Amino acid sequence: MSPVNPTRRQTLGLTAVLAGALSLAACNRGGGEAGGEGGGGGGTVMLSVSTQTNPFFVQLVDGARKAADELGLTLEVQDASDDASTQANHLQNAITQGVACVIVNPTDSDAVSASIEALNAAEIPVIAVDRNATSGELVSYIASDNVAGGAQAAQALAEAIGDTGQILVLQGVPGASATRDRGQGFTEEIAKHGDIEVVAEQTANFDRAEGLNVATNLLQANPDVVGIFAHNDEMALGAIEALGPRAGSEVFVVGFDGTGDGLAAVEAGTMHATIAQQPGELGAQAVEQAQTVVEGGSPEAEVQVDVVVVTAENVSEYL
Amino acid sequence: MTATAQTTSPTRRSTLSKVGHWAMNNGALVGLILLCIGLFIATPAFLTIPNIINIGIQAAVVAILAFGMTFVIVTAGIDLSVGSVAALGAMVSAYSFASLNLPGILTVVVGLGVGMLAGSISGLAIAYGKLPAFIATLAMMSIARGLTLVVSNGTPIDTSDTVNIFGSRVAGIPVPIFAMALAGVVCWFILSRTVLGRSMYAVGGNIEAARLSGIPVKRVLVWVYALSGLFAGLAGLVLAGRLRSAGPQAGSGYELDAIAAVVIGGASLAGGSGRATGTLIGAILLAVIRNGLNILNVSSFWQQVVIGCVIALAVGFDVFRRKTDS
């Protein structure tokens, strides 16, 4: 009696598992060949985004979603919450799901490399957006030109303060590529303006509250400052709080990113300019390249999305 | 007053050794004074009235969180959720204003209420659910941050004018400093003048003894975390008021500053000790370090090293003092 039941159960179980596996395999093959029929993740593009807690990346994802809808592409968005290992897990899942293409916005350019190599081994094409990877093969890299943006910020600030006076710089998260590139572009360009002196450079970690505190402290030590460059709009908005009514009249603030709040401050006149990246455009371009890949075409190896200087004159176009 | 520092002085003691003994018992305060002298010598911009007010304003958020944390640490607990709970309180308050059009005063009540509710839930999980405080508040940290993101959808929301008062000046007095003082007085009063406060020291000293002597340990614990949440709600409103908006990532990592402030202030993570005045000094010490290093334009890498050293020194000093006292 007793040996019979387990055997029957085992047979049933085995049949079920086999059936499942077969149907999965069939789906995978079908999806892979037809390119975009959905089932089993075959035609799906995965977008692994570093974080959704920052308006910039929210806009990036929105742009990607919109483009995917227009192109009729299935887009699966995964949020890594700024954690490299979470992102590694998502990319691992992409392999098991057998997606057609992966768009990755790395939390960390070094940490993501191992995952990209694994995707390479599984022959899943990878596109990086906004941040690059240190190693591993990418079919395309889409980014704004942060170095050029830093230089544009320097020009905008120099113009605002009449090419002379003391300025402060609020840096982003130490070591982040955006911090390095924007800082490099700004420093190189501002050095060409001999009468402008950078009296202090401090990090406020891309954070508004820290921007307020650090700007307050720096203004205490440097009361004659006439300009502030912040590596992102959040810190610029903090600096504007620190300046109070002096913002936009006595002290000119230039931010970076062109977020909703940043643009509103430009319109209100408290922020002199923001260097708008076009995060929606970054997302859209990434999806367009992914579409090319999924259809078997060859994507562009590098896409540079323009950054734009937004001042009171042209802010209405971006609001 | 408390089970902490007050030791009876032996008969006959020279003035020098009395000063030495006082300094031993007030290590954080002595450190703060020495630091201020050093920074004043390094840069005269440090010891000006406007800068001292700046330091007060910048210390306020961490100090308010730390006052709430003092109750928790006195009972030998830990609350890792205060930074996230502060953000959640502020965010729900901003949401209630921006999307639900609640009147200003209610948006303040909502912010405080959400904080207290989140704290109460942690407290219930710890007291009745038998979860370790570390785990319960770690879970709450994640839940509160997640809900903050859900409510905000990842973007900052403007706060009501009433909440913005928390970040402004009224009759020339910066409200953050006023809020910090109020929180400090409430913390001091509860710890040293109420049955609840005495029960907290008893629970932190020896939970089993406290239970056997008839202290309602579970109820005390729920109150402790509810108060921590309430203070976090207040801190969130001050933070949001200063920026006139509630940010989804606001207050990240503040729980560690709050714990550091309490510990620098002389409380032991083993429970049973801690004072409001010590916590205040700890919070001000952290703000002074950040302010001073900013003014001196010291790199942020070194700022982190310095703050780490101060925490290690403070705790090491405390351990040393306890040894020599006993």
Side-chain angles (χ1 to χ4, degrees):
Chain A
M1 273 297 275
S2 58
V4 180
N5 272 339
T7 320
R8 194 177 289 161
R9 227 181 282 147
Q10 277 169 354
T11 321
L12 266 175
L14 196 63
T15 318
V17 168
L18 270 176
L22 276 172
S23 64
L24 260 180
C27 271
N28 259 344
R29 203 178 302 136
E33 279 164 9
E37 277 183 2
T44 309
V45 173
M46 180 189 279
L47 167 58
S48 169
V49 64
S50 59
T51 172
Q52 290 264 58
T53 64
N54 178 328
F56 179 83
F57 295 109
V58 175
Q59 288 174 39
L60 189 150
V61 170
D62 287 347
R65 283 217 169 97
K66 225 171 122 193
D69 282 348
E70 280 165 16
L71 297 168
L73 210 65
T74 316
L75 187 72
E76 180 190 335
V77 179
Q78 298 283 5
D79 178 359
S81 307
D82 258 337
D83 179 42
S85 63
T86 306
Q87 186 157 53
N89 294 344
H90 290 159
L91 298 178
Q92 190 65 47
N93 293 345
I95 298 174
T96 15
Q97 272 175 271
V99 300
C101 177
V102 167
I103 301 170
V104 63
N105 161 232
T107 58
D108 176 320
S109 300
D110 291 324
V112 81
S113 296
S115 302
I116 291 182
E117 281 161 15
L119 286 162
N120 290 154
E123 292 182 0
I124 295 173
V126 186
I127 294 170
V129 62
D130 188 52
R131 293 179 192 147
N132 211 335
T134 318
S135 66
E137 246 176 76
L138 299 172
V139 293
S140 186
Y141 170 50
I142 291 106
S144 339
D145 198 336
N146 274 311
V147 179
Q152 283 167 276
Q155 284 161 1
L157 189 60
E159 211 179 284
I161 63 175
D163 235 357
T164 177
Q166 298 185 341
I167 60 166
L168 304 174
V169 176
L170 296 180
Q171 299 168 315
V173 172
S177 69
T179 305
R180 287 201 306 266
D181 293 348
R182 291 169 191 182
Q184 183 200 336
F186 185 86
T187 308
E188 284 171 7
E189 179 62 31
I190 212 74
K192 297 177 192 161
H193 302 258
D195 292 333
I196 296 178
E197 187 194 354
V198 180
V199 286
E201 275 190 84
Q202 286 278 294
T203 181
N205 289 313
F206 287 136
D207 182 81
R208 202 186 292 197
E210 275 191 61
L212 167 55
N213 285 347
V214 173
T216 306
N217 295 341
L218 292 178
L219 287 166
Q220 202 62 48
N222 309 283
D224 299 326
V225 158
V226 291
I228 298 177
F229 170 53
H231 284 182
N232 79 344
D233 281 348
E234 286 293 299
M235 296 189 293
L237 290 163
I240 286 167
E241 289 294 336
L243 288 165
R246 294 169 67 203
S249 54
E250 291 167 43
V251 182
F252 296 92
V253 179
V254 174
F256 209 114
D257 281 346
T259 60
D261 285 0
L263 294 172
V266 171
E267 198 192 26
T270 50
M271 199 188 295
H272 174 69
T274 177
I275 311 303
Q277 297 193 70
Q278 306 188 62
E281 189 59 24
L282 286 173
Q285 284 286 342
V287 166
E288 273 176 40
Q289 299 304 320
Q291 166 84 343
T292 314
V293 174
V294 171
E295 284 174 351
S298 46
E300 290 176 49
E302 199 168 326
V303 182
Q304 292 259 350
V305 176
D306 289 339
V307 295
V308 240
V309 182
V310 181
T311 59
E313 285 165 24
N314 61 347
V315 67
S316 53
E317 295 167 35
Y318 297 90
L319 278 168
Chain B
M1 184 178 77
T2 71
T4 39
Q6 315 302 332
T7 50
T8 47
S9 24
T11 49
R12 288 184 158 246
R13 194 195 278 264
S14 73
T15 323
L16 194 69
S17 88
K18 266 185 195 160
V19 170
H21 192 254
W22 179 86
M24 286 288 277
N25 281 328
N26 295 276
L29 186 57
V30 173
L32 180 59
I33 293 167
L34 290 177
L35 188 66
C36 288
I37 293 171
L39 284 169
F40 176 64
I41 293 167
T43 164
F46 175 76
L47 220 58
T48 57
I49 299 289
N51 196 48
I52 291 168
I53 293 172
N54 282 343
I55 292 169
I57 295 172
Q58 290 171 17
V61 173
V62 166
I64 295 167
L65 291 174
F67 286 132
M69 186 73 77
T70 309
F71 302 125
V72 175
I73 289 181
V74 160
T75 56
I78 194 115
D79 190 345
L80 298 176
S81 69
V82 292
S84 302
V85 169
L88 179 63
M91 188 57 81
V92 175
S93 165
Y95 179 83
S96 72
F97 166 68
S99 298
L100 309 177
N101 295 314
L102 285 195
I105 187 71
L106 276 185
T107 66
V108 172
V109 175
V110 163
L112 297 174
V114 165
M116 193 161 183
L117 179 68
S120 308
I121 293 170
S122 297
L124 288 169
I126 292 159
Y128 295 94
K130 308 269 183 230
L131 288 183
F134 188 95
I135 301 301
T137 60
L138 185 69
M140 183 52 72
M141 170 168 127
S142 181
I143 293 166
R145 182 65 64 192
L147 289 175
T148 307
L149 290 164
V150 169
V151 174
S152 67
N153 198 19
T155 47
I157 304 184
D158 287 350
T159 40
S160 67
D161 288 344
T162 318
V163 168
N164 293 345
I165 293 172
F166 281 94
S168 61
R169 287 173 191 238
V170 171
I173 303 167
V175 180
I177 293 182
F178 179 74
M180 170 169 73
L182 179 73
V185 169
V186 170
C187 176
W188 167 82
F189 183 81
I190 291 178
L191 281 178
S192 59
R193 293 284 181 276
T194 64
V195 177
L196 178 62
R198 272 195 294 280
S199 307
M200 290 179 193
Y201 286 108
V203 169
N206 185 332
I207 193 162
E208 197 51 29
R211 196 181 61 79
L212 292 173
S213 51
I215 289 169
V217 171
K218 289 181 178 173
R219 240 186 300 159
V220 169
L221 283 177
V222 175
W223 268 110
V224 162
Y225 289 89
L227 283 170
S228 177
L230 176 66
F231 279 49
L234 177 63
L237 294 180
V238 171
L239 185 63
R242 289 188 67 204
L243 299 164
R244 284 181 280 175
S245 67
Q249 284 304 93
S252 297
Y254 281 32
E255 54 280 346
L256 299 180
D257 272 16
I259 294 167
V262 178
V263 170
I264 291 171
S268 159
L269 286 173
S273 70
R275 285 182 296 172
T277 44
T279 296
L280 177 67
I281 292 166
I284 291 176
L285 190 70
L286 289 175
V288 163
I289 294 171
R290 296 226 163 87
N291 172 278
L293 296 180
N294 276 160
I295 287 184
L296 292 173
N297 207 10
V298 173
S299 115
S300 63
F301 303 164
W302 282 109
Q303 295 189 22
Q304 296 187 23
V305 174
V306 171
I307 288 170
C309 290
V310 168
I311 295 170
L313 268 176
V315 178
F317 195 81
D318 192 52
V319 170
F320 176 70
R321 179 175 58 77
R322 277 162 212 273
K323 245 184 200 162
T324 49
D325 269 6
S326 58

